[in-house]
Amino acid sequence: MSVRENLEKVKARMVAAEARAGRPAGSVRLVAVSKTQPMEKIRAAYEAGQRLFGENYAQELRDKAEALKDLPDLALHFIGTLQKNKAKYVVPVAAMFEALDDLGLARELDKRAAAASRILPVLVEVNLGEEQKGGVRPDDLAGFLAALRGLPSMRVEGLMCIPPPCEDPESTRPFFRKVALLGREHGLGALSMGMSSDFEVAIEEGATLVRVGTAIFGERSYPAR
Ligand SMILES: *Cc1c(COP(=O)(O)O)cnc(C)c1O
């Protein structure tokens, strides 16, 4: 199957999930996760109409942004974990930073955004349980959000989550529901949740962004670092 065909299938499944949830068709944005994927596949997705892509690694994001700068309206979200010393690669090229969970990193991103004369939209990653390394625990969320409000070049738009991997998409539904509830509690509109294995469930539970890699591009060409 071609990237175009895969993309069309994913979009059709998104529309069906939106309908089941009583949400307008096209209301959920698709982040095509292109980490480790070659340029040709990204360009194929772009030619098929996809404009928003997700990358996990700082240098890879920077290099791809440079290599793809001929494509109008291309937007790249950084969705991985980031070491502070690599913030400089990400801030100039990322349309959004999706997985913020550390105040020291937030300060560095804010400083870099100020230096680049821009406001950086971010999502805060929520930690949903012991099995998960990253993310802010629900009890710490209010304090973390309050601290971020003091950073002038950063704008918190919502929450993101990466539930523990599991075979059955239904088993992630409670996690998505919990994140949606936290979003409402904290007055945050954007929710990035759902991947290839469970994006439909995430849409039913209120995702506004889904991050889908394998279902569009196929297996990754080398394992995630
Ligand atoms: C790789 C990755 C995805 C995409 O995963 P697939 O299972 O290939 O759809 C989504 N979100 C994050 C944070 C990722 O690292």
Side-chain angles (χ1 to χ4, degrees):
M1 284 255 276
S2 68
V3 166
R4 176 183 292 269
E5 285 167 319
N6 288 342
L7 189 59
E8 271 157 20
K9 265 200 173 161
V10 166
K11 288 202 281 196
R13 288 168 61 190
M14 287 175 67
V15 169
E18 286 163 341
R20 284 195 299 279
R23 305 174 60 187
S27 54
V28 179
R29 293 181 79 200
L30 172 62
V31 182
V33 177
S34 47
K35 64 177 173 221
T36 80
Q37 299 288 356
M39 296 301 175
E40 310 86 74
K41 286 192 174 180
I42 301 175
R43 287 184 180 272
Y46 183 91
E47 274 159 35
Q50 182 64 24
R51 291 294 178 270
L52 176 56
F53 296 84
E55 289 286 341
N56 286 56
Y57 309 106
Q59 281 103 326
E60 186 177 342
L61 172 76
R62 175 198 59 187
D63 295 347
K64 282 179 168 166
E66 176 64 24
L68 298 168
K69 67 172 186 236
D70 58 304
L71 302 179
D73 303 326
L74 181 83
L76 301 168
H77 283 191
F78 189 82
I79 63 172
T81 50
L82 183 67
Q83 289 165 287
K84 247 197 319 198
N85 63 349
K86 293 185 178 165
K88 59 178 179 284
Y89 301 137
V90 171
V91 171
V93 294
M96 178 181 270
F97 189 92
E98 284 207 20
L100 188 61
D101 66 354
D102 180 84
L103 196 53
L105 175 62
R107 291 199 181 101
E108 179 67 19
L109 291 168
D110 180 68
K111 197 177 83 186
R112 296 273 169 195
S117 306
R118 65 169 299 200
I119 303 289
L120 181 68
V122 302
L123 305 179
V124 170
E125 184 182 352
V126 179
N127 184 300
L128 299 163
E130 321 79 53
E131 290 171 76
Q132 217 191 339
K133 299 169 272 164
V136 177
R137 296 198 169 275
D139 288 346
D140 299 331
L141 197 53
F144 189 67
L145 292 170
L148 296 184
R149 262 178 240 121
L151 301 176
S153 299
M154 178 170 283
R155 185 177 63 234
V156 180
E157 299 198 341
L159 302 175
M160 77 91 81
C161 73
I162 311 172
C166 50
E167 314 267 281
D168 174 13
E170 279 305 321
S171 55
T172 53
R173 188 183 294 279
F175 293 106
F176 296 146
R177 195 166 283 177
K178 169 92 193 179
V179 174
L181 183 65
L182 287 168
R184 282 197 296 278
E185 273 173 25
H186 294 280
L188 296 166
L191 296 176
S192 174
M193 49 191 203
M195 321 207 299
S196 290
S197 57
D198 55 16
F199 67 89
E200 289 148 303
V201 173
I203 290 170
E204 288 167 15
E205 295 301 329
T208 65
L209 292 151
V210 291
R211 308 177 309 270
V212 180
T214 318
I216 297 170
F217 296 110
E219 290 302 320
R220 283 179 271 280
S221 41
Y222 51 96
R225 281 163 285 183

